[in-house]
Amino acid sequence: TIGLELFNTGAFDEAEVELSVAIQYNPKVAQYYAVRGKACYYRHKFEAAHADFRDALLLDPSLEDVKARLVQFEPNSETDLEARHMD
């Protein structure tokens, strides 16, 4: 998507906007949330980044890079997500 391309070029603010549009059209793509979360993180929008990382993992618990980023916000997050996924 355009949002991923923008992110890869370092245009984090534009990437956030484009990824938000992509999420509106297809809210089940974990990668959109993961990359938008990284864009927010690099822009010091930590609450938004945290929310996006959590949403990405709820959609795809196998995203190891997102798990690692989420631990910055929630030291026990990996254990919590595994418990929720087993329910």
Side-chain angles (χ1 to χ4, degrees):
T1 68
I2 294 171
L4 297 174
E5 292 174 22
L6 289 166
F7 177 84
N8 288 332
T9 64
F12 302 128
D13 51 344
E14 292 97 342
E16 182 185 352
V17 170
E18 290 296 330
L19 288 161
S20 294
V21 171
I23 289 168
Q24 285 180 341
Y25 285 102
N26 197 348
K28 301 282 186 203
V29 179
Q31 193 67 18
Y32 294 165
Y33 291 96
V35 176
R36 187 176 72 176
K38 291 177 192 176
C40 290
Y41 184 87
Y42 293 141
R43 296 182 65 221
H44 300 260
K45 297 171 71 176
F46 299 119
E47 287 184 33
H50 180 209
D52 278 346
F53 294 149
R54 288 185 61 80
D55 289 342
L57 279 183
L58 288 173
L59 291 169
D60 185 353
S62 71
L63 296 173
E64 294 299 325
D65 61 322
V66 176
K67 285 181 189 177
R69 289 185 177 274
L70 192 58
V71 169
Q72 296 175 21
F73 299 101
E74 303 173 15
N76 297 321
S77 63
E78 192 167 324
T79 306
D80 294 343
L81 285 168
E82 288 173 4
R84 264 185 282 192
H85 190 56
M86 296 175 86
D87 287 343

